[in-house]
Amino acid sequence: AEYGPQDPKAYGGPSRHNESLWLVGAASDALSNLLGADDSCCGTDEDSSGCGKCVLVHNPEAIRSDWGAIVMKKSRCPPCARF
């Protein structure tokens, strides 16, 4: 499996969301709970839910504010992490 970053155009994308990047990342417990159960497409996260689920991210303050990214949750941010 190729884990990101990936250019969606290299794989038949972008999707209907017109994203510019596909990424993988870690999620907080709060976001993991919002994502729900692990998606059976790509494994499980023993520490939290939502593995394999995706979120669409836009940053209006970014240099490329016209870009969006789809980020797949693959792991958990430790509760003590300060990002």
Side-chain angles (χ1 to χ4, degrees), residues 17-63:
H17 303 293
N18 202 32
E19 71 279 2
S20 300
L21 293 170
W22 290 342
L23 306 164
V24 294
S28 67
D29 289 343
L31 179 56
S32 295
N33 289 336
L34 289 173
L35 294 172
D38 292 342
D39 191 308
S40 62
C41 72
C42 63
T44 61
D45 179 348
E46 300 294 325
D47 296 316
S48 62
S49 62
C51 186
K53 299 282 182 83
C54 297
V55 294
L56 179 62
V57 178
H58 285 273
N59 180 353
E61 302 298 319
I63 292 171

Side-chain angles (χ1 to χ4, degrees), residues 6 9 15 20 35-36 41 59 67 71 74:
Q6 300 292 327
K9 291 180 223 155
S15 73
S20 300
L35 294 172
C41 72
N59 180 353
W67 285 22
V71 183
K74 290 299 293 177

